[in-house]
């Protein structure tokens, strides 16, 4: 990010949030470092993006703005405001993800609750667990949506969801169930297997 862009962003934070200029600068550095670290994630390489391409896309996402705002409020000592700001962003993301999921036609797997529940039951999950995990999966896909592979860039989130196959959903549910159960190492190993199989 260029110096002038950084100065403009910091000035906007100061103006919009009433934070101290030093808090705005500190937050911007921390947020850029956070996204820079993410740009080297294997999932980014798997999506066919270079770290620079990831950063270029990331800087234009609502998640970057929300992370920056919460970080600036935190750096300014306004922890409650930071939490409220982040929660408001997450509510917007969840609503958008839910709308995209509702837009999936019933002819597609992700638009067919009965078929989704059958896959969940095969994995030993009850319908309520499956519904919660599917909502989490949709939100995860929504937040990662801007970083999709090049050949999927023109698709909406609803289009992406409509392409989820039975095998995809079974793997995603298994991964989400392991994560929800706190079995992080197994979840990470499974994610690596999914990514290497898709590559």
């Amino acid at each position: 990010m260029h110096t002038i862009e950084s100065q403009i962003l910091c000035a906007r934070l100061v103006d919009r949030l009433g934070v101290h200029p030093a808090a705005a600068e500190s937050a911007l550095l921390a947020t850029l470092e956070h996204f820079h670290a993410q740009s080297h994630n294997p999932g980014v390489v798997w999506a066919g993006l270079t770290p620079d391409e990831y950063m270029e896309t990331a800087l234009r996402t609502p998640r970057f703005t929300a992370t920056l705002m919460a970080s600036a409020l935190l750096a300014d000592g306004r922890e409650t405001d930071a939490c409220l700001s982040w929660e408001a962003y997450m509510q917007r993301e969840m609503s958008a993800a839910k709308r995209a999921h509702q837009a999936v036609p019933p002819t597609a797997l992700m638009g067919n609750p009965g078929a989704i529940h059958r896959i969940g039951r095969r994995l030993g999950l009850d319908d309520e667990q499956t519904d919660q995990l599917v909502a989490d999966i949709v939100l995860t896909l929504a937040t990662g949506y801007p970083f999709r592979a090049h050949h999927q860039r023109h698709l909406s989130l609803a289009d992406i969801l409509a392409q989820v196959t039975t095998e995809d959903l079974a793997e995603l549910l298994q991964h989400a169930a392991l994560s929800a159960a706190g079995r992080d190492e197994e979840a990470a190993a499974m994610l690596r297997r999914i990514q290497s199989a898709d590559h």
Side-chain angles (χ1 to χ4, degrees):
M1 179 174 277
H2 301 299
T3 311
I4 293 170
E5 285 177 282
S6 300
Q7 288 170 346
I8 291 169
L9 257 181
C10 288
R12 279 192 194 142
L13 285 173
V14 171
D15 186 49
R16 185 172 176 186
L17 303 174
V19 296
H20 191 276
E25 284 176 31
S26 164
L28 181 58
L29 279 174
T31 305
L32 286 171
E33 279 176 23
H34 171 75
F35 279 87
H36 187 262
Q38 283 186 348
S39 75
H40 293 280
N41 186 296
V44 173
V45 177
W46 172 76
L49 295 171
T50 66
D52 286 347
E53 287 171 330
Y54 178 90
M55 285 300 289
E56 192 181 322
T57 306
L59 295 177
R60 295 192 302 268
T61 62
R63 179 167 279 261
F64 178 83
T65 305
T67 304
L68 180 58
M69 286 173 62
S71 183
L73 288 164
L74 205 55
D76 204 47
R78 292 159 58 187
E79 196 170 321
T80 304
D81 289 341
C83 288
L84 289 171
S85 172
W86 184 255
E87 282 169 21
Y89 159 70
M90 284 307 295
Q91 285 300 323
R92 290 191 302 273
E93 285 287 291
M94 285 188 270
S95 294
K98 193 173 181 180
R99 283 194 304 274
H101 192 191
Q102 288 168 342
V104 176
T107 50
L109 171 64
M110 290 296 277
N112 184 337
I116 290 171
H117 289 156
R118 283 193 293 279
I119 292 168
R121 284 184 215 127
R122 281 205 305 266
L123 297 171
L125 303 167
D126 64 40
D127 292 354
E128 199 177 323
Q129 281 177 299
T130 300
D131 288 341
Q132 183 52 58
L133 291 174
V134 165
D136 292 344
I137 288 166
V138 170
L139 182 60
T140 301
L141 291 173
T143 53
Y145 176 67
F147 314 113
R148 287 263 156 222
H150 291 290
H151 69 283
Q152 293 181 320
R153 290 282 165 81
H154 64 290
L155 300 173
S156 70
L157 178 59
D159 292 335
I160 296 282
L161 292 172
Q163 292 183 2
V164 172
T165 65
T166 301
E167 187 182 84
D168 293 337
L169 184 58
E171 287 179 334
L172 290 168
L173 274 172
Q174 266 184 297
H175 176 261
L178 288 170
S179 295
R183 293 160 64 181
D184 297 336
E185 283 183 26
E186 289 171 77
M190 181 165 190
L191 187 60
R192 284 194 295 273
R193 280 199 306 276
I194 292 169
Q195 289 177 339
S196 60
D198 285 347
H199 194 56

